[in-house]
Amino acid sequence: GKSGYDHFMLKEIHEQPRAIRQCLRGRVDEMAATVDIGDLGDLSPTGVQFVACGTSYHAALYGANLLRNAGIPAQAFLASEYATSPPPIGDALVVGVTQSGETADTLSALREARKRGARTLAVTNTVGSTVARECDHELYIRAGPEIGVAASKTFASQLAALNLFTLGTTRVDGKRDIISALRDLPSNIQAILDESQAKAVAETYVDSDAYFFIGRGLQYPVALEGALKMKEITYKHAEGFAAGELKHGPLALVTEDTPVFAVVTGDGEMARKTIGNVKEVEARNAPVVAVTDGQSDVGRYVDAVLEVPETHPQAAAVLANVQLQLVSYYVADELGRSIDKPRNLAKSVTVE
Ligand code: M6R
């Protein structure tokens, strides 16, 4: 059942601390700063191509970014496009990210890769799924069953699992800091769930024409995911953009009736640039909501702030996403939408 929550989605958003704990259990040793992902630790990929759809594609974009930071050439592809026109694979490991393990587009991309001689890995939530049976290797995200059609806790668990994969197969710098940030994720997510102002933000902006989400680097997939969630469960127009792309066209859509959610964590070069983009939309009178850890001064330029605890940049993406999940959830709830079963959508998409 829904354990007292109005919707499975809200329950599953609240299950994220536990989902992450399960994902990490027995796989990280904080004292030794090591990660044990079993035989996968021997994969040492020299290149990675991710294939995935929807929310899982956003996780794949994040995973590719992590691997590139660790010096491994990596790219994320939409599975449907990859299956239609596969790129040269070389000796890349092809990684399918799929919660259900049954998504036809993703299975078809992986089959195409295998036909061309590629080794394949499934990152999935579902033991015994088709993807797990067909791939050479599996990494389980261990989120537990997700009933809501909109993916929530499985996205958080995918991000955690992709961190484990990167830590376990590469020589990425600063492993100790990343591991400790992963270990802090459950309590940091809990703090957000306990204190979030997302409901108030949702009530303020529920009547808007459209919603835009911007982010840079690891926060770019979070912006895309924020927009997808908003579309799926509220039926409102929403788009996610790389913060730097806004001025190359989408800025023409920005008005005083289109709130812009800007994900700005840290206080480095990336934050500074995104704050520049925030000023561009402010100048068009759009309301701006910053999802921020308060390290930069973005709060001075915006109409509302959704706070996340300060942490490692890789973990910050997981935290920012929780705030955006809550905003979409509460907008959908205000509008009386069918949150757990949005119109036209199915939990598992088994046709191409
Ligand atoms: O089971 P999968 O992870 O392969 O599903 C992929 C997408 O169909 C899925 O993420 C979809 O976008 C969700 N409804 C997102 O909330």
Side-chain angles (χ1 to χ4, degrees), residues 28 55 111 125 145 148 160 177 193 202 242 253 269 278:
V28 294
T55 291
R111 284 172 192 149
N125 197 28
D177 290 346
L193 295 172
L253 298 171
E269 182 70 0
V278 163

Side-chain angles (χ1 to χ4, degrees), residues 94 96 98 101-115 118-124 126-138 140:
V94 179
T98 165
E102 303 296 344
T103 300
D105 287 318
T106 308
L107 291 172
S108 156
L110 289 165
R111 284 172 192 149
E112 199 54 51
R114 249 187 327 275
K115 212 158 68 189
R119 290 179 305 161
T120 54
L121 163 69
V123 178
T124 184
T126 317
V127 178
S129 56
T130 307
V131 84
R133 279 184 278 118
E134 292 189 2
C135 284
D136 302 314
H137 308 277
E138 303 87 47
Y140 290 105

Side-chain angles (χ1 to χ4, degrees), residues 130-187:
T130 307
V131 84
R133 279 184 278 118
E134 292 189 2
C135 284
D136 302 314
H137 308 277
E138 303 87 47
L139 175 60
Y140 290 105
I141 67 168
R142 304 183 186 159
E146 186 176 69
I147 309 298
V149 164
S152 58
K153 65 174 177 173
T154 55
F155 180 67
S157 299
Q158 286 169 337
L159 301 191
L162 291 167
N163 272 290
L164 295 180
F165 180 73
T166 306
L167 289 163
T169 60
T170 74
R171 293 165 186 274
V172 63
D173 290 337
K175 284 195 182 182
R176 192 176 292 275
D177 290 346
I178 300 169
I179 289 174
S180 107
L182 293 175
R183 293 292 292 266
D184 288 343
L185 270 177
S187 60

Side-chain angles (χ1 to χ4, degrees), residues 6-324:
D6 288 347
H7 299 93
F8 280 107
M9 185 185 179
L10 190 59
K11 172 174 180 258
E12 288 157 0
I13 289 172
H14 281 262
E15 281 172 350
Q16 290 178 116
R18 191 159 63 126
I20 302 274
R21 254 182 235 114
Q22 267 165 210
C23 182
L24 303 183
R25 182 164 304 144
R27 289 168 163 172
V28 294
D29 181 336
E30 199 163 0
M31 296 300 282
T34 55
V35 161
D36 180 2
I37 47 172
D39 295 348
L40 297 181
D42 303 328
L43 278 177
S44 39
T46 50
V48 173
Q49 294 180 347
F50 287 98
V51 294
C53 310
T55 291
S56 295
Y57 171 67
H58 302 150
L61 285 170
Y62 169 92
N65 194 320
L66 295 187
L67 284 163
R68 290 196 298 269
N69 287 341
I72 309 293
Q75 261 181 294
F77 296 85
L78 290 167
S80 54
E81 286 298 307
Y82 189 101
T84 307
S85 49
I89 301 176
D91 56 5
L93 175 71
V94 179
V95 180
V97 183
T98 165
Q99 183 282 126
S100 64
E102 303 296 344
T103 300
D105 287 318
T106 308
L107 291 172
S108 156
L110 289 165
R111 284 172 192 149
E112 199 54 51
R114 249 187 327 275
K115 212 158 68 189
R116 288 154 194 259
R119 290 179 305 161
T120 54
L121 163 69
V123 178
T124 184
N125 197 28
T126 317
V127 178
S129 56
T130 307
V131 84
R133 279 184 278 118
E134 292 189 2
C135 284
D136 302 314
H137 308 277
E138 303 87 47
L139 175 60
Y140 290 105
I141 67 168
R142 304 183 186 159
E146 186 176 69
I147 309 298
V149 164
S152 58
K153 65 174 177 173
T154 55
F155 180 67
S157 299
Q158 286 169 337
L159 301 191
L162 291 167
N163 272 290
L164 295 180
F165 180 73
T166 306
L167 289 163
T169 60
T170 74
R171 293 165 186 274
V172 63
D173 290 337
K175 284 195 182 182
R176 192 176 292 275
D177 290 346
I178 300 169
I179 289 174
S180 107
L182 293 175
R183 293 292 292 266
D184 288 343
L185 270 177
S187 60
N188 281 337
I189 294 173
Q190 194 58 52
I192 295 169
L193 295 172
D194 292 343
E195 292 157 32
S196 178
Q197 300 297 308
K199 189 168 198 283
V201 167
E203 283 165 8
T204 306
Y205 298 115
V206 63
D207 292 322
S208 304
D209 292 347
Y211 303 85
F212 301 126
F213 297 78
I214 60 172
R216 207 173 261 277
L218 289 166
Q219 305 293 16
Y220 168 48
V222 173
L224 295 179
E225 175 59 10
L228 179 62
K229 220 87 301 177
M230 186 67 91
K231 286 177 216 184
E232 281 191 282
I233 64 172
T234 73
Y235 315 154
K236 296 268 241 165
H237 179 211
E239 298 295 338
F241 303 110
E245 272 299 295
L246 210 58
K247 58 185 172 300
H248 297 291
L251 197 53
L253 298 171
V254 170
T255 72
E256 59 189 13
D257 297 315
T258 62
V260 177
F261 290 81
V263 185
V264 185
T265 53
D267 63 352
E269 182 70 0
M270 278 208 244
R272 195 182 59 70
K273 286 186 177 173
T274 306
I275 293 169
N277 308 128
V278 163
K279 291 178 184 164
E280 289 161 5
V281 302
E282 287 272 86
R284 274 82 191 169
N285 298 320
V288 181
V289 180
V291 181
T292 181
D293 53 13
Q295 288 196 69
S296 68
D297 65 352
V298 68
R300 287 176 36 197
Y301 308 103
V302 300
D303 299 272
V305 164
L306 293 170
E307 278 176 57
V308 297
E310 205 177 307
T311 184
H312 191 281
Q314 295 181 196
V318 183
L319 301 182
N321 186 63
V322 175
Q323 289 286 22
L324 297 182

